[in-house]
Amino acid sequence: MNSLIDFLSLADPNIRFVVIGSILLTASSAIVGTFTFLHKKSLVGDAIAHAVLPGICLGFILSGTKNPAYLIVGAFITGWLSLVSVEFITRRTRIKEDTAIGLVLSVFFGVGIVMLTVIQKSGNAAQSGLDHFLFGKAAALVGEDLMVFGTVAVVLLLCVFLLFKEFSLLAFDKAYAQSIGLPVRRIELVLTSLIVLAVVIGIQAVGVVLMAAILITPAAAARFWTHKVGVMVFLASVFGAFSGLAGAYISYIAPAMPTGPWIVIVISTIAFISFFLAPRRGVISRLVRQRSIRRTINNENVLKTLYQLGEESKNFLRPHAEADILHKRRYPAALLASVLHRLQRQGYVQRTGTAWQLTEEGMSRGQRVVKIHRLWELYLTTHVNIAPDHVHDDADTIEHLLTPELETELERLLNYPRVDPHQAEIPYKKPV
Amino acid sequence: MQPDITTTPALEVHDLTVAFDRKPVLWNIDLKLPAGKLIGIIGPNGAGKSTLIKTVMGLLPLSSGYVRLYDQPIDNVRGRISYVPQRESVDWDFPASVMDVVLMGRYGKLGLFRRVRQADRDVALDCLRKVGMEAYANRQISQLSGGQQQRTFLARALAQQADIYFMDEPFAGVDAATEKAIIGLLQAMTEAQKTVIVVHHDLQSVTRYFDWVIMLNTRLVACGPTETTFTQQNLQETYGGKLTLLSDVGDLIRREHFPNREGISKPAL
């Protein structure tokens, strides 16, 4: 606990660098990553991430130092080169984009690993720490790094802020953007440069291997929670920053732990939670919705059965034993009992001894279901030309789904018919 | 075949050839369209209808010829043209509201970097009203029906306040009510001297909808006022099978890596 307070109080300047640095790196990657995601370029981000490794090694070989400015320039160049290669291969050969990305990614990364190994074996004392670029080193950030990454992050944010509407439009409808005369090629060039830059600084936090995770995962998680690009960018940056912070903290308390993988674990957990918990789009929300639909269907089916029993006896409010209901329509007995009890709580049926009878509300709801069922059967036979013996199953579904507006429209369209295709009377609340 | 147009044509296409992967899909198109008309482009699948409007707007490179709008190159009159792409050409699961999409119609006038102003919102809302979608302004586009998606695209095009409109199958997959509403709107636009060019599929409605028709089947069959151009003979020529020889020669050009025009070949791998 004390370590958390020490960590968050930012009293130690080293910790301050690490905290600010990791938030900056992950948040700015997440912001640019949102547009990478919306432009459906997630795989491209991964290719760039792997392709910057040879650039970093080259920067080191040529400059002889680990000064981040040189390494960034090198990374930027090979990152770009990988993109140009992907585009060239896709355009000029029959190889498709996914294959081209796979090719370029592995070739660049392979070359990078070879160069890294050569540097490590060369005995150059300055090289120690270069391998941080493989898995990240957020916990080892120092003031000098922070200046460089801070500047790059500000540039990224500024570009996204200025070109926000252009990036959004391009992601949604590129041909249209072109038709209104936007300089599409140049805007794409800017966006691609931003992706490369975001990757170049993001790898400081998580390393090349896991870079795609902090570029894309925050956006993917944010997408579950919102329908607005602006909110999505904001959420992605918060998710990214939180995972960066958490990763840095973990490597602070357990220095042997690699930062990058922890950041990725945290952000993936956020994505996982979003996947399950998000309203509307989340899995649980969907399950709840489906459950409530199933309940409505069960409720209405039982009310319908009770109503139909009432039709037979010409007395809609007469009590029926559960066995009679089961005789009219087959349900699992336990299900019927539970549905009846639920309907009782909701005031649609009441119990007299062991028998059940409809209340006024129950009768009118049962009547509505029966009415829609028969109207729909009639509509299918008269307007859609479906044989009368094929319409029952469709109507069984539609009767629970139709909105009051569509119900009225259906009545009007069919002009309040008296009977359905099977000569069963169609019940209206007020006889027309 | 070409009737004279006395005033400046809204659109002039001269000797236009367009090729995909070297194979020409449009051969030597020549046409002039008058302003203030509702113009339909008809022809079978693969006739190059969408290709024609995309090329005219400069979205596809042309292999030969030129295009002029109001007697000017396209880039001088970008602000006066408006485009309704095919509904299926975008991913409707994009995080945006109907209003967001319609506001995109203002981006051309706004220019780079600038934010949307209240005046733009007013225009967008007005356009939504024209297509009967004002109640849906804040609806997520992922929840729209096909007809509502089409109306949204139409509102976006209207928000550009352009003079010439290119619409790629605006009636595809929309209900009868939407089709009627859209055609009423387009007719009102042409009365206000706007030019509306529509890629169209349904031959039944051609004479009711369009003042002019362009009949296309990889080459121009006919172009002119509907009553004199939309004839049985022209229909026969447009839909009566492809010109097999033309298509075969196109395939040959691709296979042999031949340039479409002497002297402007690009190296290929």
Side-chain angles (χ1 to χ4, degrees), chain B:
Chain B
M1 210 58 215
Q2 284 274 328
D4 280 336
I5 300 168
T6 42
T7 51
T8 310
L11 172 67
E12 180 187 357
V13 173
H14 182 85
D15 190 27
L16 178 83
T17 298
V18 185
F20 285 157
D21 189 18
R22 326 190 67 79
K23 178 182 177 176
V25 288
L26 284 175
W27 295 81
N28 308 79
I29 307 290
D30 270 296
L31 54 85
K32 285 182 184 169
L33 299 177
K37 298 275 188 247
L38 186 48
I39 299 157
I41 304 180
I42 57 170
N45 283 331
K49 304 185 292 292
S50 298
T51 306
L52 178 63
I53 63 171
K54 282 185 186 159
T55 313
V56 166
M57 283 185 295
L59 306 186
L60 296 173
L62 27 89
S63 305
S64 81
Y66 64 78
V67 171
R68 289 176 81 81
L69 287 127
Y70 300 105
D71 207 22
Q72 300 202 47
I74 174 83
D75 283 323
N76 293 0
V77 288
R78 280 271 172 219
R80 298 177 69 185
I81 70 160
S82 177
Y83 175 37
V84 179
Q86 279 183 27
R87 190 161 53 83
E88 293 85 4
S89 68
V90 304
D91 176 6
W92 288 92
D93 197 32
F94 192 81
S97 67
V98 169
M99 190 61 171
D100 293 336
V101 173
V102 179
L103 280 172
M104 290 171 185
R106 305 297 298 165
Y107 288 6
K109 288 223 176 1
L110 275 173
L112 286 176
F113 311 128
R114 305 260 303 279
R115 309 257 128 186
V116 170
R117 304 153 303 181
Q118 185 58 42
D120 299 311
R121 292 185 176 279
D122 294 343
V123 172
L125 201 60
D126 195 44
C127 297
L128 276 174
R129 204 168 292 133
K130 281 183 191 155
V131 299
M133 287 278 291
E134 72 269 36
Y136 296 86
N138 295 317
R139 184 71 64 94
Q140 287 312 313
I141 57 170
S142 56
Q143 294 166 13
L144 300 179
S145 71
Q148 290 166 340
Q149 291 174 350
Q150 197 63 62
R151 285 171 192 236
T152 305
F153 261 6
L154 202 61
R156 178 175 73 172
L158 292 178
Q160 288 180 247
Q161 298 173 322
D163 293 322
I164 182 165
Y165 293 79
F166 295 93
M167 305 190 176
D168 205 342
E169 306 215 11
F171 304 119
V174 308
D175 53 290
T178 301
E179 176 154 345
K180 213 170 149 194
I182 293 178
I183 199 72
L185 190 68
L186 301 189
Q187 277 159 351
M189 284 160 66
T190 51
E191 272 158 34
Q193 281 307 302
K194 310 284 189 191
T195 309
V196 183
I197 300 167
V198 177
V199 172
H200 195 60
H201 239 112
D202 175 27
L203 292 179
Q204 304 294 326
S205 49
V206 168
T207 45
R208 267 182 298 134
Y209 288 177
F210 299 113
D211 307 319
W212 272 57
V213 280
I214 298 169
M215 302 176 77
L216 205 65
N217 188 351
T218 63
R219 85 278 184 214
L220 185 71
V221 174
C223 171
T226 310
E227 47 201 80
T228 55
T229 313
F230 192 65
T231 59
Q232 198 57 46
Q233 191 197 341
N234 282 339
L235 271 172
Q236 195 83 46
E237 208 181 319
T238 312
Y239 285 88
K242 280 197 169 167
L243 293 184
T244 321
L245 185 63
L246 195 65
S247 172
D248 286 349
V249 171
D251 284 334
L252 189 65
I253 290 175
R254 178 174 59 198
R255 247 191 348 261
E256 301 293 322
H257 289 181
F258 238 67
N260 295 123
R261 285 289 182 277
E262 285 179 36
I264 51 167
S265 73
K266 277 191 208 152
L269 275 177

Side-chain angles (χ1 to χ4, degrees), chain A residues 161 165 173 176 223 281, chain B residues 91 93 111 115 156 160:
Chain A
F161 178 76
K165 76 177 199 300
D173 193 346
Y176 181 78
R223 184 67 185 92
R281 290 189 154 238
Chain B
D91 176 6
D93 197 32
R115 309 257 128 186
R156 178 175 73 172
Q160 288 180 247

Side-chain angles (χ1 to χ4, degrees), chain A residues 261-337:
Chain A
W262 272 108
I263 292 181
V264 172
I265 287 173
V266 173
I267 188 64
S268 306
T269 309
I270 294 176
F272 200 63
I273 292 171
S274 308
F275 177 68
F276 279 103
L277 290 187
R280 296 199 63 81
R281 290 189 154 238
V283 170
I284 290 180
S285 153
R286 275 183 207 193
L287 287 178
V288 168
R289 246 192 343 262
Q290 274 165 17
R291 201 178 136 93
S292 114
I293 289 174
R294 247 196 325 272
R295 281 185 172 186
T296 308
I297 291 178
N298 283 335
N299 281 355
E300 293 191 343
N301 280 340
V302 170
L303 291 175
K304 181 173 77 170
T305 312
L306 283 169
Y307 183 86
Q308 286 168 338
L309 284 170
E311 279 184 324
E312 288 168 10
S313 62
K314 307 277 185 247
N315 178 5
F316 292 105
L317 301 180
R318 202 177 102 177
H320 300 279
E322 283 181 28
D324 294 342
I325 302 172
L326 289 175
H327 184 71
K328 176 78 182 161
R329 189 184 165 114
R330 296 180 58 84
Y331 298 99
L335 175 70
L336 177 67

